[in-house]
Amino acid sequence: MEEFVEMWMLIGELMRVRTREYLASSPLSPDEMPGLRPPAGPAQIRDLEALANQPLDPEYRCFLSLTDGLDGFQYTMPLLGCRDWEDPERSGLGFMFRDVVLETGTLTEVGLPEETHAFPIHVNAEGSAGILMLHHSHNDLERFWWSGQGDNMFFHTFRDLVTYIIDGSYSPRHLFD
């Protein structure tokens, strides 16, 4: 239960930051409005795990059980939840981004094992940048990878990723560090 309380507090802080940024922008755009969603149920989370072909990060699983995705996670782009994969446009863009990363050999270029499973949890509107949840046999490697448009940042946990979005207090490993 404690992990749910901690995740709920983290989500609340993220919403506070995003709402403040939204209200400070001019003019206000409904596309940029941050928003929580109804929670995903256990069956939806299991289905997403099967679709991802990997176990979900425990904190991401907790997040989905509190809000099934988040609109306005990073500017206008959502953090994807279970229901997003029912939308052909969002799921198509997510899979396209992942497939480009896999087909170009980028996994091995950044030092990830070839057998790494990658699943998109965030993709921009152009499909040129996103965040992939990773699963591989090396426990010491990061679980999340933000890639595209000159960014290559790695995060150990979902909490680290959200903390970075909130206030930048987490320092991700960059590709060329």
Side-chain angles (χ1 to χ4, degrees):
M1 186 64 172
E2 185 175 317
E3 72 263 8
F4 287 101
V5 172
E6 289 177 17
M7 182 56 63
W8 193 244
M9 298 296 288
L10 192 63
I11 292 168
E13 181 63 16
L14 178 60
M15 289 301 297
R16 184 188 66 75
V17 168
R18 287 290 172 237
T19 301
R20 179 177 286 158
E21 289 171 355
Y22 171 73
L23 293 173
S25 68
S26 177
L28 297 178
S29 167
D31 294 335
E32 297 174 13
M33 186 175 359
L36 298 173
R37 301 176 181 174
Q44 291 173 305
I45 293 172
R46 282 191 303 274
D47 289 347
L48 181 62
E49 192 167 57
L51 180 66
N53 194 29
Q54 62 176 283
L56 299 182
D57 173 82
E59 292 172 333
Y60 182 57
R61 176 187 295 277
C62 181
F63 169 82
L64 294 172
S65 71
L66 295 168
T67 177
D68 185 21
L70 179 73
D71 293 319
F73 174 69
Q74 176 66 10
Y75 304 114
T76 63
M77 299 312 312
L79 184 59
L80 302 173
C82 301
R83 292 176 189 94
D84 288 304
W85 298 101
E86 299 167 5
D87 178 340
E89 187 174 323
R90 283 192 179 181
S91 62
L93 198 57
F95 285 130
M96 180 192 74
F97 174 74
R98 183 208 53 200
D99 292 347
V100 166
V101 168
L102 296 177
E103 290 169 5
T104 58
T106 307
L107 286 176
T108 54
E109 286 178 16
V110 298
L112 294 169
E114 282 187 37
E115 76 276 3
T116 300
H117 293 278
F119 188 75
I121 65 164
H122 169 76
V123 181
N124 70 2
E126 298 80 37
S128 60
I131 300 170
L132 297 169
M133 182 174 53
L134 308 171
H135 181 67
H136 37 70
S137 59
H138 302 277
N139 291 333
D140 58 328
L141 294 176
E142 290 90 353
R143 190 72 201 273
F144 293 92
W145 174 25
W146 188 325
S147 178
Q149 298 179 330
D151 291 322
N152 271 301
M153 298 178 285
F154 295 90
F155 301 85
H156 281 282
T157 68
F158 182 73
R159 177 180 305 280
D160 296 337
L161 172 64
V162 174
T163 300
Y164 176 77
I165 293 295
I166 290 172
D167 62 14
S169 63
Y170 178 81
S171 180
R173 180 177 68 87
H174 291 267
L175 179 58
F176 300 109
D177 281 355

